[in-house]
Amino acid sequence: SRRPACGAGLVEAVMPRRLALPVVSPRYRFESHWSAPAPRDEIFEVLADVGGYPSWWPQVRAVARVDDGTAHVVARSLLPYSLDMVLTRAVEDRASGVLEARIAGQLDGWSRWTLSQSGAWTAMHYEQEVTTPGRAMRAASAMARPVLVANHIWMMRGGREGLLRHLREPAGSTPR
């Protein structure tokens, strides 16, 4: 039997013909805590009405209702890039103050608002856990995670300020 020349076949075993890197979709987990001097039920109503978000949340650029529990949402914060998502209601429990949605599209995951009343104030706890399923988003995530996190923080700040303005507006007034 013939033995292969020294090193023959070794290169293929060590260096595959095509480099296959694992595809990892980065996971992001965000939390925000807001409070407002308004009844929990009033805030619950505003947050449950995703179609109304563009009237008070500057970074939510457009919402198109798909059906009673689903909306197509376009959001854009500081970065020159819009996120295109479909939000589907998973939980809307007024008694416990919980709103939860599944997120699909350029982000994939879930978001949840939990509201609690303390005197004249309502505390709002926002949680979101998402992955970036698209190739471009994965690439951006790998290189620019701190920038994407800062972008999210800016979006949430705009939402908080917009909600507070909205709650101060007299009923029936023109938004923004």
Side-chain angles (χ1 to χ4, degrees), residues 2-48:
R2 246 179 111 216
R3 290 180 62 184
C6 182
L10 182 61
V11 171
E12 230 176 272
V14 174
M15 299 286 290
R17 292 180 198 267
R18 193 176 124 213
L19 186 59
L21 296 174
V23 177
V24 177
S25 190
R27 189 167 293 283
Y28 291 85
R29 176 139 174 88
F30 299 106
E31 286 193 56
S32 294
H33 297 273
W34 301 355
S35 59
R40 186 181 84 159
D41 284 347
E42 180 182 350
I43 293 174
F44 188 93
E45 223 26 72
V46 173
L47 294 176

Side-chain angles (χ1 to χ4, degrees), residues 17 21 39 54 86 88 93 97 108 146 159 161:
R17 292 180 198 267
L21 296 174
V86 174
T88 304
D93 185 348
D108 187 33
E161 292 170 1

Side-chain angles (χ1 to χ4, degrees), residues 114-134:
T114 305
L115 284 61
S116 59
Q117 188 80 44
S118 179
W121 287 75
T122 296
M124 295 161 272
H125 179 208
Y126 179 79
E127 301 167 89
Q128 182 183 48
E129 189 170 306
V130 293
T131 59
T132 51

Side-chain angles (χ1 to χ4, degrees), residues 58-128:
Q59 291 79 13
V60 177
R61 303 299 174 96
V63 175
R65 288 189 188 276
V66 175
D67 58 38
D68 281 345
T70 308
H72 178 210
V73 177
V74 177
R76 182 174 174 169
S77 191
L78 285 175
L79 297 176
Y81 184 81
S82 294
L83 287 174
D84 197 339
M85 302 164 284
V86 174
L87 303 183
T88 304
R89 181 184 321 125
V91 176
E92 186 171 336
D93 185 348
R94 184 178 300 277
S96 65
V98 175
L99 291 163
E100 187 173 313
R102 300 289 173 245
I103 303 169
Q106 290 176 310
L107 296 177
D108 187 33
W110 57 270
S111 65
R112 178 185 310 122
W113 288 103
T114 305
L115 284 61
S116 59
Q117 188 80 44
S118 179
W121 287 75
T122 296
M124 295 161 272
H125 179 208
Y126 179 79
E127 301 167 89
Q128 182 183 48

